[in-house]
Amino acid sequence: MVTNTRRAERHTGEPDVVELNPVFARPGEATALPKFRFPEDESLQETAYQIVHDEAMLDGNARLNLATFVGTWMDEHAARLYLEAADKNMIDKDEYPQTAAVETRCWTMLADLWHAPDPEHTIGTSTIGSSEACMLGGLALKRRWQHARRAAGKPTDRPNLVLSSAVQVCWEKFCNYFEVEARYVPISEDHKVLDGHDLETYVDENTIGVVAIMGVTYTGMYEPVAEIAAALDRIQESTGLDVPIHVDGASGAMIAPFLQPDLEWDFRVPRVASINTSGHKYGLVYPGLGWVVWRDTESLPEDLVFRVSYLGGDMPTFALNFSRPGAQVLLQYYLFLRLGRTGYEAVQRTSRDVALYLSGEIAKMPAFELWNDGSDIPVFAWRLREGHTKNWDLYHLSERLRTKGWLVPAYPMPDDLTDLTVQRVVVRNGFSHDLASAFLADLRDEVALLDALTGPMPTEGQRSNFHH
């Protein structure tokens, strides 16, 4: 083993040196390597591998991580394909034209899945993740609004975007980085998601669009895109303002087409200009991969598309990143071919069945009250039932579960509900009924232990461990 360490402390308290176990060290090789500067000499590849391997071994068990939406498992054929394609650069379409062709097939397939009017003549792109995809969708909204304002001889200096207060942090970044005023519609006990309520008080002539979330990060609930569009229709009738919608479908855009096919949330809703999703969430691919698709070519202003000469080829590109891995795009196409509609439905339905089983059992526990049950995407949240106890809270329970290996975040809800703390479970592919039963057994044990306390647990040092 490698991880014996000599305590030459940095200001952080972390050792400066990785010290090798004598059994592991090889003749003539250094027995200690610096952590924060380049070593003077080479190491054997076996030594460097073992050091990094042992460091990574200290991370959590991905199968027990109920906090993350990001995929943590693919089959052995995908793993083989991943390794074979590790050197492919997605941006280099001249060197890797077939990978570029596969990328186009993928977003065209998504356009068809999401009921674009003419999938073969729309436009889309892959991205590093859904955060980049959201930013590209937001940039297209802003640029379209600017073009319309300039054509009408009006100023373009005060754009705003209307979103739920429970929006994913990437939208906060978008508004900050690209100088757009964020107008947050607060969620409440009566309006748990953005549903069009009071939308007219937030929308004006400077509104570039409204974001609707298919699977709110905090709770997993769908925002009703058709109801939001209907509210915008009423606003247009009274004011003349024609405001488009971007659907942040990071998770739900790969759930709803298979589990709620009659739900109108996608391009069937005329106001929906663009949709993004995470290939590395319920698209079932390893991180990082996102997708964004526009309703038609008119929805993506041409002046946002760069045409560059790169390595001998002329290439159109719309992205915040340039060089990036191409392997995940091939993995996505592999899964589209491997699973098809029937396979994706089976995988997503199994995850939702497990979520409904878990939420149903947790709802029976006297300590808890469900916020939602996981019937939208396989994600649900619960709160501590009012009056149950003053000796512990959900942060204490989260820490107790961590001792058993389970990562189950506790965190406050967004503005106007910050006094409410919830816990959330994300059920992903590979989290079986057996694992769910094991989790429930540990949950019940830890709740029983906490309920048996005769005095309050300390609250010093508590912090939210919310995972977007």
Side-chain angles (χ1 to χ4, degrees):
M1 301 301 290
V2 174
T3 52
N4 292 347
T5 55
R6 181 157 50 84
R7 300 293 297 183
E9 303 287 340
R10 285 168 60 85
H11 66 279
T12 60
E14 185 177 359
D16 273 340
V17 173
V18 176
E19 191 170 273
L20 306 184
N21 187 302
V23 174
F24 182 78
R26 293 164 175 82
E29 190 171 33
T31 58
L33 299 175
K35 277 188 177 181
F36 301 101
R37 56 184 174 82
F38 274 83
E40 291 298 325
D41 299 310
E42 298 180 41
S43 298
L44 290 176
Q45 57 199 31
E46 294 90 342
T47 303
Y49 165 81
Q50 191 68 36
I51 291 172
V52 178
H53 172 83
D54 284 1
E55 293 274 3
M57 185 176 63
L58 300 177
D59 285 335
N61 184 337
R63 295 289 296 279
L64 305 184
N65 185 352
L66 304 184
T68 183
F69 288 77
V70 175
T72 55
W73 179 87
M74 294 190 77
D75 64 46
E76 61 181 20
H77 291 88
R80 187 189 313 168
L81 185 61
Y82 200 178
L83 186 60
E84 292 170 353
D87 61 341
K88 293 185 184 295
N89 183 0
M90 190 64 249
I91 206 69
D92 188 358
K93 293 176 170 60
D94 184 59
E95 182 69 18
Y96 306 109
Q98 202 57 38
T99 300
V102 168
E103 178 192 30
T104 298
R105 292 178 205 171
C106 284
W107 58 253
T108 304
M109 294 166 82
L110 289 172
D112 178 68
L113 186 70
W114 297 334
H115 298 95
D118 186 3
E120 293 186 5
H121 295 91
T122 186
I123 190 166
T125 186
S126 66
T127 60
I128 285 293
S130 57
S131 292
E132 182 189 1
C134 287
M135 293 195 188
L136 297 183
L139 280 171
L141 292 178
K142 181 180 178 181
R143 188 62 58 87
R144 286 177 62 195
W145 173 83
Q146 289 174 322
H147 287 334
R149 297 280 289 179
R150 290 190 183 111
K154 296 179 179 180
T156 62
D157 58 336
R158 298 179 62 189
N160 68 69
L161 182 66
V162 177
L163 333 93
S164 161
S165 62
V167 77
Q168 214 267 0
V169 69
C170 70
W171 288 105
E172 299 175 38
K173 290 183 178 180
F174 166 76
C175 291
N176 185 358
Y177 296 166
F178 296 101
E179 299 182 320
V180 174
E181 176 195 354
R183 293 188 173 178
Y184 296 113
V185 181
I187 64 171
S188 65
E189 296 276 0
D190 295 328
H191 300 278
K192 292 184 174 181
V193 294
L194 176 66
D195 56 11
H197 178 71
D198 286 339
L199 200 57
E200 65 278 2
T201 64
Y202 295 88
V203 170
D204 61 23
E205 65 177 357
N206 293 318
T207 301
I208 65 173
V210 174
V211 175
I213 311 169
M214 287 296 287
V216 173
T217 307
Y218 284 82
T219 62
M221 296 177 69
Y222 289 155
E223 293 186 336
V225 178
E227 290 181 29
I228 294 169
L232 290 172
D233 289 344
R234 293 190 294 271
I235 290 170
Q236 183 174 7
E237 289 173 6
S238 61
T239 66
L241 299 174
D242 185 7
V243 179
I245 293 173
H246 174 87
V247 176
D248 182 352
S251 296
M254 292 304 296
I255 297 286
F258 306 110
L259 299 189
Q260 300 100 1
D262 296 328
L263 179 65
E264 294 192 356
W265 63 273
D266 52 15
F267 292 121
R268 286 172 289 184
V269 179
R271 284 195 182 273
V272 173
S274 48
I275 301 171
N276 71 273
T277 195
S278 285
H280 63 224
K281 292 181 181 174
Y282 289 98
L284 308 180
V285 174
Y286 285 136
L289 177 67
W291 299 97
V292 58
V293 176
W294 285 268
R295 168 179 290 276
D296 46 40
T297 54
E298 289 73 27
S299 298
L300 176 60
E302 176 63 27
D303 57 337
L304 283 176
V305 179
F306 280 80
R307 299 187 178 276
V308 298
S309 178
Y310 186 61
L311 297 180
D314 179 71
M315 179 192 66
T317 176
F318 179 37
L320 300 181
N321 294 287
F322 202 67
S323 294
R324 55 188 171 88
Q328 283 86 346
V329 169
L330 298 179
L331 291 177
Q332 186 75 89
Y333 190 53
Y334 163 77
L335 281 177
F336 285 175
L337 298 179
R338 165 75 179 85
L339 294 176
R341 287 179 179 262
T342 302
Y344 264 98
E345 179 184 350
V347 170
Q348 315 299 36
R349 188 173 300 281
T350 297
S351 294
R352 190 178 64 174
D353 288 347
V354 172
L356 290 172
Y357 162 65
L358 273 176
S359 66
E361 292 300 307
I362 290 172
K364 296 174 185 176
M365 299 176 66
F368 303 129
E369 180 182 350
L370 291 182
W371 180 266
N372 63 304
D373 65 0
S375 56
D376 289 340
I377 65 173
V379 176
F380 65 95
W382 67 88
R383 57 178 142 186
L384 196 60
R385 192 177 299 277
E386 187 174 355
H388 177 74
T389 183
K390 292 185 178 180
N391 288 340
W392 60 274
D393 57 30
L394 294 181
Y395 296 105
H396 297 125
L397 178 57
S398 180
E399 291 176 3
R400 290 298 311 169
L401 290 170
R402 188 179 287 267
T403 67
K404 299 289 183 71
W406 302 105
L407 273 64
V408 187
Y411 49 86
M413 293 289 272
D415 290 348
D416 287 15
L417 281 177
T418 52
D419 290 338
L420 172 61
T421 297
V422 298
Q423 273 188 291
R424 185 195 69 199
V425 159
V426 178
V427 177
R428 304 184 313 282
N429 184 29
F431 191 73
S432 64
H433 275 276
D434 286 342
L435 280 174
S437 296
F439 168 69
L440 282 172
D442 285 340
L443 178 65
R444 292 179 179 123
D445 286 347
E446 297 307 323
V447 169
L449 182 149
L450 291 169
D451 276 344
L453 294 171
T454 58
M457 290 278 284
T459 58
E460 292 79 7
Q462 279 189 345
R463 61 183 178 87
S464 169
N465 48 12
F466 180 49
H467 292 256
H468 276 288

